[in-house]
Amino acid sequence: MTSASVQPPLWTKPLARRWPGLALARPTMMIALLLGAGGGALLGAGMLADGSYWTVLAGILVYGLGMGTIFPTMFGAAGTGVAAGEQGTAGGMANTALQIGTSAGLAVLVGVANSGLGDLTGEALRVATAGGLRTAVYIAAGFTLLGLLGALALPRLRTAPVAPVDPATPAAPADNAINGAAV
């Protein structure tokens, strides 16, 4: 079942290569974020002390579909309109932002999930753990919805094509200054 949550990039990545600029990235990101948030809400609803894999299955599938669609879309949008010589920088910045945001978010969510467990044992610990995980997943779904603000900030259409870099044309001379000081 885990493979179901990683399959969307297999079919979304070829589509991302054919997008005319950002024309489809914005609505695709919005739909994917809604699916991810909805999947998170379904996942949280199924996290019960007496739940099973079947109570979280719908959430796993919907969340996987949404998040599996958002990643190739996000990286495609990050490189759109960027000169060929700067593609690595754009991809690196997008990847770094993703990793830092994920790390900080995970730290907060682990704190939320584990708060209030204290000296609990047995059935009380099991119920409190399920409740903490459910709360953390609901918070994550809420933050996923905040990603819609980022998707709304994307331009509807790319305004001007970026001129391709001609490998036969020498690059512009580098500025021999660092922070305004001559080198």
Side-chain angles (χ1 to χ4, degrees), residues 5 23 25 30 34 40 42 45 56 58 72 84 92 100 109-110 116 120-121 125 127-128 139 141 145 161 167:
S5 66
M30 293 174 72
L34 287 171
L42 285 171
V56 296
I100 291 172
L109 294 174
V110 166
L120 299 176
T121 60
L125 176 61
V127 170
I139 290 170
L145 284 176

Side-chain angles (χ1 to χ4, degrees), residues 77-103:
T80 299
V82 177
E86 299 295 324
Q87 287 290 320
T89 302
M93 289 176 65
N95 211 342
T96 300
L98 174 68
Q99 297 302 319
I100 291 172
T102 301
S103 300

Side-chain angles (χ1 to χ4, degrees), residues 57-144:
L57 181 60
I60 291 170
L61 293 175
V62 175
Y63 182 82
L65 180 64
M67 294 297 101
T69 302
I70 196 69
F71 291 121
T73 308
M74 177 186 66
F75 286 110
T80 299
V82 177
E86 299 295 324
Q87 287 290 320
T89 302
M93 289 176 65
N95 211 342
T96 300
L98 174 68
Q99 297 302 319
I100 291 172
T102 301
S103 300
L106 181 61
V108 169
L109 294 174
V110 166
V112 168
N114 290 318
S115 67
L117 297 182
D119 296 328
L120 299 176
T121 60
E123 183 65 18
L125 176 61
R126 194 167 73 85
V127 170
T129 300
L133 289 171
R134 185 174 42 256
T135 301
V137 170
Y138 284 146
I139 290 170
F143 279 119
T144 302

